[in-house]
Amino acid sequence: MKACPGLGGWAAMHPHVDEANAREDAGRRVTDPALRRELAARGEADQRARDTALAAGMRDPVANKAMLVVDADNLAWLKAVVARQGFPTPDAVGAQGVANAWLLVQHADRDPAFQAAVLKTLESRLAGSGVRKADVAMLTDRVLLAQGKPQRYGSQFKPSQDGSPVSEPTEDMAHVDQRRASMDLMPLADYQCMLRFSYAPAQATDARAQQARDVGTDRQR
């Protein structure tokens, strides 16, 4: 928060997704608790692998390879789930379960066709419950970039040689903040500041990763 002063005001007006999901799921009896537990375990593995890679500024080949192994395992498992019963719903796994399923799709870059297919499902659910606009926006950017097109919401960055984040090509940058606001994403300048802080090599890695989750950026989620 000290490094990026604009984050405080934004975070105060936007409850973190995990807190919002916990409130929505309070007292809910899901129809597939086993699937919800598996999604939670795989979501935790996803974030743990990314926190480890982030600790080295995404420049440790061992940590990066371990992250890709987790992603590949999660992708194969989730594709089988979706083929068998469709993309999870809040009734089946709760709001947090849906968020965990989305997280696995967001990091399934080795299968852009699967990401695009899930995106269509999530777009069709936007008017209902269980899908966050921010999640649809971030997956949209991933799908567009995989198709060789500029992203729409500026959510995707890549590390440069020195570890600092560099934006992927983005359409109509003059109006990107309007598009981000419409999808419940923080202003791009605040997001860039958080990324610069998060990707810099640090001793206080655990604190940095936790701060990124507390603010609810589109870096990992």
Side-chain angles (χ1 to χ4, degrees):
M1 293 297 184
K2 291 181 180 179
C4 308
L7 293 178
W10 189 91
M13 297 179 64
H14 296 80
H16 189 271
V17 59
D18 290 346
E19 296 172 0
N21 288 340
R23 287 195 297 271
E24 186 175 341
D25 287 343
R28 169 183 264 161
R29 299 186 65 178
V30 299
T31 60
D32 198 339
L35 179 58
R36 179 175 65 174
R37 289 192 295 270
E38 184 67 18
L39 284 167
R42 288 178 177 276
E44 289 173 4
D46 173 290
Q47 292 292 270
R48 188 165 55 249
R50 275 170 171 74
D51 286 347
T52 300
L54 183 64
M58 305 298 289
R59 290 178 294 180
D60 180 351
V62 175
N64 289 345
K65 182 178 180 180
M67 182 178 67
L68 294 176
V69 169
V70 170
D71 290 349
D73 182 61
N74 283 339
L75 169 60
W77 174 82
L78 186 61
K79 283 187 71 173
V81 170
V82 172
R84 185 171 62 250
Q85 61 195 72
F87 192 78
T89 65
D91 287 342
V93 299
Q96 186 59 51
V98 172
N100 287 328
W102 167 84
L103 184 68
L104 306 189
V105 176
Q106 181 74 353
H107 296 150
D109 292 334
R110 66 179 60 199
D111 195 336
F114 177 63
Q115 289 178 315
V118 171
L119 177 60
K120 290 183 179 180
T121 297
L122 298 185
E123 288 174 333
S124 71
R125 293 187 188 177
L126 263 178
S129 62
V131 178
R132 296 170 62 239
K133 290 192 290 184
D135 291 346
V136 172
M138 286 181 274
L139 186 54
T140 296
D141 280 353
R142 292 265 179 144
V143 169
L144 287 172
L145 290 172
Q147 294 173 347
K149 302 173 184 177
Q151 59 180 335
R152 186 168 301 151
Y153 301 101
S155 67
Q156 304 303 303
F157 283 67
K158 58 185 176 183
S160 64
Q161 288 188 344
D162 66 2
S164 60
V166 177
S167 177
E168 296 279 11
T170 305
E171 68 181 53
D172 187 20
M173 281 293 292
H175 299 97
V176 67
D177 273 339
Q178 290 96 313
R179 296 194 298 277
R180 288 178 65 86
S182 73
M183 301 299 279
D184 296 335
L185 295 173
M186 69 175 62
L188 188 59
D190 293 332
Y191 179 43
Q192 290 172 321
C193 181
M194 170 62 82
L195 285 174
R196 286 194 297 270
F197 178 72
S198 297
Y199 275 87
Q203 287 107 20
T205 302
D206 291 342
R208 288 178 176 218
Q210 185 59 53
Q211 286 172 341
R213 287 193 290 269
D214 288 345
V215 173
T217 69
D218 28 341
R219 174 178 64 84
Q220 296 178 329
R221 300 200 66 84

XYZ file of all heavy atoms in Angstrom, residues 2-81:
596
model
N 2.016 1.206 0.714
C 2.905 2.372 0.757
C 3.526 2.618 -0.612
O 3.720 3.763 -1.016
C 3.985 2.156 1.802
C 3.462 2.179 3.234
C 4.601 1.974 4.222
C 4.078 1.997 5.657
N 5.184 1.770 6.627
N 3.873 1.535 -1.311
C 4.502 1.693 -2.619
C 3.512 2.180 -3.668
O 3.891 2.853 -4.626
C 5.110 0.358 -3.064
N 2.234 1.845 -3.492
C 1.203 2.179 -4.479
C 0.024 2.838 -3.758
O -0.971 2.162 -3.436
C 0.744 0.927 -5.214
S 2.090 -0.057 -5.935
N 0.090 4.133 -3.483
C -0.925 4.803 -2.658
C -2.342 4.687 -3.199
O -3.304 4.692 -2.430
C -0.453 6.260 -2.647
C 1.015 6.195 -2.928
C 1.186 5.039 -3.867
N -2.506 4.585 -4.507
C -3.856 4.523 -5.066
C -4.599 3.245 -4.747
O -5.826 3.178 -4.876
N -3.882 2.227 -4.295
C -4.527 0.937 -4.051
C -5.459 0.963 -2.849
O -6.462 0.250 -2.813
C -3.469 -0.147 -3.840
C -2.606 -0.508 -5.048
C -1.582 -1.559 -4.659
C -3.465 -1.008 -6.184
N -5.121 1.767 -1.847
C -5.902 1.769 -0.623
C -7.353 2.135 -0.851
O -8.266 1.450 -0.381
N -7.577 3.227 -1.578
C -8.939 3.663 -1.834
C -9.709 2.668 -2.671
O -10.889 2.418 -2.416
N -9.032 2.097 -3.671
C -9.719 1.118 -4.522
C -10.095 -0.121 -3.721
O -11.218 -0.613 -3.816
C -8.819 0.732 -5.694
C -9.527 -0.088 -6.731
C -10.185 0.376 -7.834
C -9.668 -1.517 -6.758
N -10.719 -0.676 -8.541
C -10.419 -1.835 -7.911
C -9.225 -2.536 -5.929
C -10.734 -3.148 -8.247
C -9.545 -3.854 -6.256
C -10.283 -4.148 -7.407
N -9.163 -0.613 -2.913
C -9.425 -1.826 -2.137
C -10.552 -1.606 -1.139
O -11.344 -2.519 -0.879
C -8.152 -2.268 -1.416
N -10.643 -0.392 -0.577
C -11.688 -0.106 0.403
C -13.082 -0.184 -0.213
O -14.062 -0.499 0.466
C -11.467 1.275 1.015
N -13.177 0.078 -1.515
C -14.470 0.072 -2.193
C -14.755 -1.249 -2.894
O -15.840 -1.434 -3.444
C -14.526 1.215 -3.219
C -14.410 2.593 -2.594
S -14.449 3.914 -3.835
C -16.100 3.698 -4.503
N -13.793 -2.156 -2.897
C -13.957 -3.433 -3.596
C -13.548 -4.568 -2.667
O -12.366 -4.902 -2.571
C -13.115 -3.473 -4.877
C -13.522 -2.465 -5.892
N -13.142 -1.134 -5.809
C -14.296 -2.573 -7.004
C -13.658 -0.477 -6.842
N -14.353 -1.317 -7.572
N -14.492 -5.175 -1.976
C -14.168 -6.301 -1.088
C -13.427 -7.395 -1.847
O -13.710 -7.661 -3.014
C -15.549 -6.787 -0.624
C -16.451 -5.614 -0.809
C -15.933 -4.881 -2.014
N -12.478 -8.011 -1.157
C -11.708 -9.070 -1.811
C -12.623 -10.218 -2.204
O -13.576 -10.563 -1.497
C -10.604 -9.576 -0.884
C -9.647 -10.496 -1.563
N -9.852 -11.848 -1.623
C -8.500 -10.255 -2.243
C -8.857 -12.413 -2.299
N -8.028 -11.465 -2.677
N -12.310 -10.836 -3.323
C -13.170 -11.888 -3.875
C -13.351 -13.045 -2.900
O -14.445 -13.606 -2.783
C -12.610 -12.386 -5.228
C -11.211 -12.942 -5.086
C -13.536 -13.429 -5.838
N -12.299 -13.420 -2.172
C -12.436 -14.541 -1.241
C -13.402 -14.200 -0.115
O -14.186 -15.055 0.325
C -11.071 -14.914 -0.659
C -10.162 -15.563 -1.698
O -10.671 -15.963 -2.763
O -8.948 -15.657 -1.453
N -13.371 -12.954 0.361
C -14.301 -12.541 1.410
C -15.729 -12.531 0.883
O -16.666 -12.977 1.565
C -13.908 -11.163 1.926
C -12.540 -11.116 2.596
C -12.114 -9.702 2.918
O -12.891 -8.759 2.623
O -11.011 -9.528 3.474
N -15.914 -12.008 -0.314
C -17.248 -11.966 -0.911
C -17.779 -13.381 -1.140
O -18.958 -13.671 -0.876
C -17.213 -11.198 -2.231
N -16.912 -14.273 -1.593
C -17.340 -15.646 -1.813
C -17.699 -16.340 -0.502
O -18.650 -17.128 -0.445
C -16.236 -16.435 -2.525
C -16.086 -16.039 -3.981
O -17.001 -15.462 -4.574
N -14.946 -16.338 -4.564
N -16.933 -16.052 0.544
C -17.222 -16.664 1.845
C -18.597 -16.243 2.354
O -19.347 -17.054 2.896
C -16.135 -16.290 2.848
N -18.924 -14.969 2.156
C -20.243 -14.492 2.577
C -21.340 -15.158 1.756
O -22.378 -15.562 2.287
C -20.323 -12.971 2.437
C -19.522 -12.207 3.483
C -19.925 -10.754 3.514
N -19.633 -10.080 2.264
C -18.480 -9.476 1.989
N -17.491 -9.474 2.888
N -18.288 -8.873 0.828
N -21.099 -15.264 0.446
C -22.110 -15.874 -0.423
C -22.292 -17.360 -0.118
O -23.408 -17.896 -0.205
C -21.722 -15.693 -1.890
C -22.779 -16.172 -2.868
C -22.431 -15.883 -4.316
O -21.570 -15.015 -4.563
O -23.028 -16.531 -5.193
N -21.207 -18.022 0.276
C -21.272 -19.456 0.517
C -21.714 -19.810 1.932
O -21.970 -20.990 2.221
C -19.900 -20.092 0.253
C -19.560 -20.164 -1.233
O -20.481 -20.036 -2.060
O -18.374 -20.339 -1.555
N -21.790 -18.811 2.815
C -22.148 -19.088 4.206
C -23.518 -19.777 4.277
O -24.514 -19.258 3.770
C -22.163 -17.794 5.009
N -23.554 -20.943 4.876
C -24.807 -21.662 5.021
C -25.269 -22.402 3.783
O -26.289 -23.089 3.816
N -24.537 -22.274 2.694
C -24.946 -22.948 1.455
C -24.571 -24.433 1.508
O -23.478 -24.795 1.917
C -24.247 -22.274 0.268
C -24.388 -23.035 -1.036
C -23.608 -22.342 -2.143
N -24.451 -21.473 -2.921
C -24.000 -20.496 -3.699
N -22.706 -20.262 -3.778
N -24.823 -19.740 -4.383
N -25.488 -25.266 1.080
C -25.231 -26.700 0.968
C -25.039 -27.037 -0.503
O -25.999 -27.063 -1.275
C -26.394 -27.493 1.563
C -26.612 -27.214 3.049
C -27.669 -28.118 3.635
N -27.240 -29.523 3.621
C -27.976 -30.515 4.119
N -29.181 -30.267 4.635
N -27.525 -31.762 4.085
N -23.800 -27.281 -0.886
C -23.502 -27.565 -2.286
C -23.856 -29.004 -2.611
O -23.907 -29.878 -1.733
C -22.016 -27.295 -2.597
C -21.687 -25.829 -2.343
C -21.107 -28.200 -1.785
N -24.082 -29.254 -3.888
C -24.486 -30.595 -4.314
C -23.305 -31.513 -4.597
O -23.478 -32.721 -4.710
C -25.365 -30.512 -5.577
O -24.618 -29.890 -6.635
C -26.623 -29.697 -5.296
N -22.093 -30.928 -4.727
C -20.910 -31.741 -5.016
C -19.756 -31.308 -4.115
O -18.777 -30.707 -4.570
C -20.527 -31.610 -6.489
C -19.601 -32.734 -6.956
O -18.952 -33.364 -6.092
O -19.528 -32.983 -8.173
N -19.835 -31.623 -2.824
C -18.783 -31.182 -1.896
C -17.411 -31.772 -2.212
O -16.393 -31.134 -1.962
C -19.301 -31.646 -0.529
C -20.288 -32.724 -0.829
C -20.917 -32.348 -2.130
N -17.374 -32.983 -2.759
C -16.082 -33.581 -3.100
C -15.388 -32.777 -4.188
O -14.172 -32.542 -4.126
C -16.274 -35.021 -3.553
N -16.142 -32.337 -5.183
C -15.564 -31.517 -6.247
C -15.110 -30.173 -5.690
O -14.059 -29.665 -6.069
C -16.585 -31.318 -7.367
C -16.128 -30.463 -8.555
C -14.879 -31.042 -9.207
C -17.259 -30.332 -9.578
N -15.892 -29.607 -4.783
C -15.485 -28.334 -4.177
C -14.158 -28.487 -3.438
O -13.280 -27.621 -3.557
C -16.565 -27.833 -3.222
C -16.185 -26.524 -2.537
C -17.294 -25.963 -1.679
N -17.612 -26.821 -0.537
C -18.475 -26.480 0.411
N -19.120 -25.312 0.345
N -18.719 -27.309 1.417
N -13.996 -29.579 -2.691
C -12.742 -29.800 -1.958
C -11.567 -29.968 -2.910
O -10.473 -29.440 -2.673
C -12.874 -31.028 -1.054
C -13.791 -30.821 0.143
C -13.643 -31.960 1.141
N -14.079 -33.235 0.587
C -15.328 -33.698 0.668
N -16.274 -32.971 1.266
N -15.645 -34.880 0.161
N -11.780 -30.693 -4.006
C -10.695 -30.894 -4.963
C -10.315 -29.587 -5.653
O -9.132 -29.306 -5.864
C -11.100 -31.937 -5.999
C -10.009 -32.302 -6.996
C -8.826 -33.022 -6.360
O -8.966 -33.547 -5.239
O -7.758 -33.060 -7.004
N -11.304 -28.772 -5.974
C -11.018 -27.469 -6.576
C -10.236 -26.587 -5.617
O -9.316 -25.862 -6.016
C -12.321 -26.785 -6.983
C -12.981 -27.314 -8.252
C -14.420 -26.790 -8.367
C -12.182 -26.916 -9.494
N -10.596 -26.629 -4.338
C -9.875 -25.833 -3.341
C -8.420 -26.274 -3.244
O -7.503 -25.435 -3.204
C -10.566 -25.954 -1.982
N -8.186 -27.583 -3.229
C -6.822 -28.096 -3.132
C -6.002 -27.715 -4.359
O -4.832 -27.323 -4.251
C -6.850 -29.612 -2.960
N -6.615 -27.804 -5.528
C -5.886 -27.478 -6.752
C -5.666 -25.972 -6.885
O -4.630 -25.530 -7.393
C -6.625 -28.047 -7.965
C -6.522 -29.563 -8.047
C -7.283 -30.154 -9.212
N -7.095 -31.598 -9.281
C -6.073 -32.200 -9.869
N -5.165 -31.468 -10.507
N -5.969 -33.518 -9.875
N -6.619 -25.177 -6.428
C -6.415 -23.731 -6.427
C -5.280 -23.325 -5.510
O -4.469 -22.446 -5.842
N -5.194 -23.964 -4.343
C -4.098 -23.683 -3.417
C -2.754 -24.079 -4.023
O -1.761 -23.359 -3.883
C -4.328 -24.421 -2.108
C -5.470 -23.853 -1.279
C -5.782 -24.705 -0.057
O -5.056 -25.692 0.173
O -6.756 -24.386 0.646
N -2.713 -25.211 -4.707
C -1.472 -25.646 -5.347
C -1.052 -24.660 -6.437
O 0.139 -24.350 -6.588
C -1.646 -27.044 -5.936
N -2.014 -24.174 -7.191
C -1.752 -23.176 -8.231
C -1.106 -21.934 -7.627
O -0.071 -21.457 -8.104
C -3.072 -22.816 -8.920
C -2.943 -21.671 -9.905
O -2.737 -20.522 -9.456
O -3.074 -21.906 -11.117
N -1.708 -21.401 -6.579
C -1.201 -20.160 -5.998
C 0.124 -20.371 -5.274
O 1.000 -19.505 -5.302
C -2.241 -19.578 -5.050
C -3.494 -19.076 -5.754
C -3.249 -17.857 -6.628
O -3.365 -16.717 -6.164
N -2.896 -18.079 -7.886
N 0.287 -21.523 -4.641
C 1.544 -21.823 -3.959
C 2.695 -21.884 -4.963
O 3.785 -21.351 -4.717
C 1.412 -23.140 -3.201
C 2.591 -23.467 -2.301
C 2.237 -24.577 -1.321
N 1.746 -25.777 -1.976
C 0.485 -26.211 -1.903
N -0.415 -25.538 -1.198
N 0.121 -27.320 -2.524
N 2.456 -22.522 -6.106
C 3.496 -22.609 -7.131
C 3.837 -21.232 -7.680
O 5.013 -20.917 -7.929
C 3.037 -23.527 -8.265
N 2.825 -20.387 -7.835
C 3.074 -19.041 -8.350
C 3.780 -18.153 -7.328
O 4.617 -17.336 -7.682
C 1.757 -18.414 -8.820
C 1.449 -18.840 -10.224
C 0.090 -18.496 -10.744
N 0.103 -18.810 -12.174
C 0.077 -20.058 -12.669
N -0.017 -21.076 -11.849
N 0.136 -20.264 -13.970
N 3.434 -18.304 -6.075
C 4.124 -17.535 -5.042
C 5.606 -17.892 -5.011
O 6.465 -17.022 -4.830
C 3.500 -17.804 -3.669
C 2.150 -17.123 -3.499
O 1.815 -16.256 -4.328
O 1.429 -17.453 -2.532
N 5.926 -19.176 -5.183
C 7.328 -19.607 -5.195
C 8.061 -19.019 -6.389
O 9.196 -18.534 -6.264
C 7.409 -21.145 -5.231
O 6.755 -21.675 -4.074
C 8.850 -21.611 -5.236
N 7.418 -19.049 -7.567
C 8.047 -18.476 -8.758
C 8.192 -16.968 -8.622
O 9.195 -16.381 -9.026
C 7.231 -18.824 -9.999
N 7.200 -16.338 -8.022
C 7.233 -14.890 -7.841
C 8.357 -14.483 -6.907
O 8.938 -13.406 -7.051
C 5.888 -14.417 -7.281
C 5.699 -12.913 -7.078
C 5.759 -12.195 -8.423
C 4.380 -12.635 -6.380
N 8.683 -15.337 -5.957
C 9.745 -15.038 -4.999
C 11.067 -14.763 -5.705
O 11.903 -14.001 -5.215
C 9.913 -16.188 -4.017
N 11.254 -15.388 -6.861
C 12.484 -15.204 -7.625
C 12.275 -14.261 -8.800
O 13.073 -14.259 -9.739
C 12.992 -16.543 -8.122
N 11.200 -13.492 -8.761
C 10.939 -12.573 -9.862
C 10.628 -13.282 -11.161
O 10.871 -12.736 -12.237
N 10.121 -14.503 -11.082
C 9.788 -15.329 -12.249
C 11.026 -15.656 -13.080
O 10.936 -15.907 -14.275
C 8.731 -14.639 -13.122
C 7.474 -14.242 -12.388
S 6.578 -15.645 -11.676
C 5.926 -16.419 -13.162
N 12.200 -15.702 -12.435
C 13.443 -15.944 -13.182
C 14.158 -17.219 -12.750
O 15.261 -17.486 -13.212
C 14.387 -14.741 -13.006
C 13.901 -13.490 -13.717
C 14.819 -12.318 -13.479
N 14.798 -11.908 -12.076
C 15.523 -10.902 -11.595
N 16.340 -10.233 -12.391
N 15.448 -10.573 -10.331
N 13.532 -18.012 -11.895
C 14.121 -19.276 -11.460
C 13.554 -20.393 -12.329
O 12.362 -20.710 -12.240
C 13.784 -19.518 -9.990
C 14.370 -20.822 -9.464
O 14.887 -21.621 -10.275
O 14.311 -21.042 -8.245
N 14.366 -21.018 -13.189
C 13.826 -22.038 -14.102
C 13.224 -23.233 -13.379
O 12.272 -23.848 -13.867
C 15.040 -22.441 -14.943
C 16.237 -22.010 -14.165
C 15.807 -20.799 -13.408
N 13.747 -23.578 -12.215
C 13.208 -24.712 -11.468
C 11.802 -24.386 -10.954
O 10.864 -25.190 -11.095
C 14.133 -25.086 -10.293
C 13.499 -26.184 -9.436
C 15.492 -25.550 -10.810
N 11.657 -23.201 -10.368
C 10.341 -22.787 -9.860
C 9.347 -22.612 -10.994
O 8.169 -22.994 -10.873
C 10.475 -21.490 -9.058
N 9.807 -22.060 -12.102
C 8.910 -21.867 -13.243
C 8.458 -23.206 -13.818
O 7.289 -23.380 -14.182
C 9.608 -21.048 -14.324
C 9.799 -19.597 -13.918
O 9.184 -19.119 -12.974
N 10.672 -18.893 -14.630
N 9.382 -24.170 -13.889
C 9.020 -25.484 -14.406
C 8.028 -26.174 -13.471
O 7.054 -26.799 -13.933
C 10.266 -26.352 -14.577
C 9.959 -27.724 -15.156
C 11.234 -28.541 -15.368
C 10.907 -29.915 -15.946
N 12.144 -30.718 -16.166
N 8.234 -26.036 -12.169
C 7.317 -26.640 -11.208
C 5.921 -26.053 -11.349
O 4.914 -26.762 -11.241
C 7.849 -26.434 -9.786
N 5.855 -24.755 -11.605
C 4.567 -24.099 -11.812
C 3.870 -24.657 -13.046
O 2.656 -24.920 -13.025
C 4.777 -22.587 -11.957
C 3.509 -21.777 -12.142
S 3.857 -19.997 -12.244
C 4.768 -19.906 -13.802
N 4.608 -24.870 -14.115
C 4.026 -25.415 -15.340
C 3.542 -26.847 -15.147
O 2.551 -27.258 -15.755
C 5.045 -25.335 -16.475
C 5.433 -23.920 -16.930
C 6.519 -23.990 -18.003
C 4.224 -23.168 -17.441
N 4.240 -27.606 -14.315
C 3.808 -28.974 -14.030
C 2.464 -28.962 -13.305
O 1.555 -29.743 -13.621
C 4.873 -29.715 -13.192
C 4.326 -31.035 -12.656
C 6.128 -29.972 -14.022
N 2.315 -28.064 -12.337
C 1.042 -27.925 -11.625
C -0.057 -27.525 -12.606
O -1.168 -28.080 -12.579
C 1.168 -26.895 -10.491
C -0.209 -26.558 -9.908
C 2.081 -27.407 -9.397
N 0.247 -26.567 -13.476
C -0.748 -26.115 -14.451
C -1.192 -27.255 -15.365
O -2.385 -27.392 -15.672
C -0.170 -24.979 -15.305
C 0.007 -23.686 -14.537
O -0.498 -23.585 -13.402
O 0.660 -22.767 -15.075
N -0.241 -28.055 -15.824
C -0.571 -29.150 -16.742
C -1.461 -30.189 -16.055
O -2.424 -30.687 -16.650
C 0.708 -29.806 -17.255
N -1.155 -30.511 -14.815
C -1.959 -31.474 -14.080
C -3.368 -30.935 -13.845
O -4.359 -31.655 -14.025
C -1.284 -31.799 -12.750
C -2.052 -32.837 -11.958
O -2.215 -33.963 -12.448
O -2.511 -32.513 -10.845
N -3.457 -29.668 -13.464
C -4.770 -29.061 -13.238
C -5.590 -29.002 -14.522
O -6.803 -29.233 -14.508
C -4.600 -27.652 -12.665
C -4.241 -27.662 -11.197
O -4.474 -28.634 -10.486
N -3.663 -26.560 -10.723
N -4.936 -28.698 -15.626
C -5.640 -28.619 -16.905
C -6.225 -29.971 -17.287
O -7.409 -30.062 -17.656
C -4.682 -28.136 -17.994
C -5.173 -28.238 -19.440
C -6.443 -27.427 -19.651
C -4.084 -27.798 -20.411
N -5.424 -31.011 -17.215
C -5.913 -32.339 -17.597
C -7.091 -32.754 -16.722
O -8.092 -33.296 -17.218
C -4.776 -33.357 -17.487
N -6.979 -32.487 -15.436
C -8.058 -32.859 -14.518
C -9.331 -32.064 -14.805
O -10.424 -32.626 -14.886
C -7.603 -32.619 -13.080
C -8.683 -32.840 -12.072
C -9.091 -34.043 -11.550
C -9.520 -31.839 -11.490
N -10.129 -33.854 -10.666
C -10.407 -32.509 -10.615
C -9.599 -30.463 -11.609
C -11.366 -31.827 -9.867
C -10.545 -29.776 -10.871
C -11.423 -30.468 -10.015
N -9.208 -30.733 -14.974
C -10.394 -29.906 -15.172
C -11.059 -30.192 -16.511
O -12.296 -30.187 -16.608
C -10.034 -28.425 -15.068
C -11.222 -27.467 -15.120
C -12.168 -27.726 -13.948
C -10.756 -26.010 -15.109
N -10.283 -30.459 -17.549
C -10.882 -30.796 -18.841
C -11.752 -32.042 -18.721
O -12.837 -32.102 -19.317
C -9.789 -31.013 -19.895
C -9.171 -29.738 -20.423
C -8.222 -30.011 -21.575
C -8.961 -30.433 -22.818
N -8.069 -30.537 -23.990
N -11.301 -32.999 -17.946
C -12.096 -34.214 -17.759
C -13.388 -33.898 -17.005
O -14.458 -34.420 -17.340
C -11.281 -35.256 -17.002
N -13.306 -33.019 -16.013
C -14.498 -32.623 -15.258
C -15.499 -31.921 -16.171
O -16.695 -32.242 -16.180
C -14.120 -31.704 -14.080
C -15.368 -31.087 -13.444
C -13.329 -32.476 -13.032
